Amino acid sequence: MLLIYSVLFLWSVLLIVVLMLWTKQKNKFEFVDKPCSVIIPFRNEEATLVKLVKAFSRQSVKSAEFIFVNDHSEDRSVRVLREALKKYSLQAKVLEVTEVEGKKAALSLGISEASNEFIITTDADCQMNEHWLASLLNQFEVEEVKMVLGPVVLTGEGFWQKFQSLEMSALMGVTAVSAFLEKPTMANGANLAFRKSVFEELEGYRGIDQIPTGDDELFMHKIQLKYPGSILFTKDSRAVVLTAGAEGLSSMINQKKRWASKWKFNKRWSTILLALFILLVNLAQCFLIYDFLTDPMASRVSIWVLWLKFMSEMFLLLQVRHDLGQRTNFLSFIISFLFYPLYAIYIGIAANFGSYQWKGRKYS
């Protein structure tokens, strides 16, 4: 029992430290209009491309180059895209992946055709405000900065969408603090900026190109190995990218298995230890909740440890979500606190041994 208490107490202390470091970070905003190239790989996104083009047409950065790369879409994506580009008078390149397939292939093609040093990647199902590009580019104040990690917010009014939104907020907090400590652990390709010269120097996705995912996180680790301390996170709300969470439980689990699957290819000891520690935290919470439900007179220490974990997680999420312009549904948070450990344990196992589907393709 002492081990369980110790794990959860340490977790709570770490979250308090994360909260303190999060609030310590300040992002100033000065408008910049640096030439940049925005790369958008897409596959079967006819329902979202019009809104994305509209968001691009309103960007305050006018020297941006937009490159859309079609990864063998089977719907009307290309036709819809061309009509939207014409409607909003947006100049853009539309490329086709031919010999190979996959997101990394699409990104590599787009980057190879980019005219500018600063590369921004996002997904076709995303939305952003008019200062999105300016906020990301503003972080490249010095040559030492090689990559900027942007915040991603999941939207939606459904129960599972709210559940995912809370989880993503926690991931944004960890992403920000790990980058602040010069030990970045996570990245999201829906909102990522880096230098083309670094991409070419590191030979792009070579060495990780056989992995379906990881164009963000695994590539980030390549930069970190070559240029330690060169990766920043911006928590400027103007840099936020919005994307809808999965609507149903099965689609949510499938998406999470895809995201988590890249961790098994990450051989860094720090990442492995973090994953094992998070597993221990979730197992410990499951044990204490089970102990309390089967024995209402359970130790007061157990109740206080659970309460400490609950409060530390709640305060961290409230602060992160406030800074990124989100409201918090407390009922969703309480439900998430109770059931998230079981979900996380399942995903951790399934992502390493199961398969998932993505854009009509199956991966294992």
Side-chain angles (χ1 to χ4, degrees), residues 44-214:
N44 300 338
E45 295 287 359
E46 64 179 11
T48 61
L49 282 166
V50 175
K51 291 183 178 179
L52 180 65
V53 171
K54 182 179 180 180
F56 285 166
S57 70
R58 296 179 175 180
Q59 287 299 302
S60 56
V61 172
K62 300 304 180 184
S63 57
E65 171 188 49
F66 298 97
I67 303 176
F68 292 83
V69 188
N70 178 30
D71 178 18
H72 304 90
S73 290
E74 299 168 332
D75 62 1
R76 298 173 58 253
S77 290
V78 175
R79 180 178 176 181
V80 169
L81 171 61
R82 293 191 184 279
E83 291 175 352
L85 292 173
K86 183 178 180 180
K87 177 181 179 180
Y88 293 104
S89 302
L90 184 71
Q91 295 295 319
K93 296 179 182 178
V94 181
L95 308 178
E96 300 273 349
V97 176
T98 55
E99 297 181 359
V100 290
E101 64 179 35
K103 187 176 181 181
K104 290 194 185 76
L107 285 169
S108 296
L109 176 59
I111 295 170
S112 70
E113 294 291 322
S115 306
N116 302 304
E117 167 69 354
F118 297 109
I119 302 294
I120 318 290
T121 70
T122 190
D123 294 334
D125 58 353
C126 291
Q127 285 290 289
M128 55 285 291
N129 68 57
E130 67 271 21
H131 296 303
W132 169 60
L133 287 176
S135 181
L136 290 176
L137 293 170
N138 187 56
Q139 310 307 314
F140 290 97
E141 292 182 307
V142 294
E143 182 65 29
E144 286 72 23
V145 177
K146 308 300 183 186
M147 174 178 274
V148 174
L149 314 176
V152 177
V153 166
L154 294 185
T155 62
E157 295 302 317
F159 172 79
W160 296 115
Q161 290 175 315
K162 291 179 180 179
F163 182 88
Q164 296 165 79
S165 179
L166 289 169
E167 180 188 30
M168 180 60 78
S169 297
L171 293 177
M172 287 298 103
V174 173
T175 300
V177 171
S178 62
F180 179 76
L181 296 174
E182 300 187 357
K183 300 291 183 182
T185 57
M186 287 176 277
N188 195 313
N191 200 5
L192 196 63
F194 51 87
R195 297 180 185 270
K196 182 178 179 179
S197 57
V198 173
F199 183 85
E200 293 174 336
E201 178 188 358
L202 299 179
E203 299 181 294
Y205 303 117
R206 184 174 182 179
I208 57 173
D209 49 359
Q210 77 283 6
I211 305 168
T213 60

Side-chain angles (χ1 to χ4, degrees), residues 185-189 192 214-222 259 262-263 266 271:
T185 57
M186 287 176 277
N188 195 313
L192 196 63
D215 55 275
D216 42 24
E217 189 172 309
L218 298 180
F219 177 60
M220 177 195 73
H221 288 312
K222 290 184 68 174
W259 288 353
K262 56 192 159 188
W263 277 53
N266 195 326
T271 302

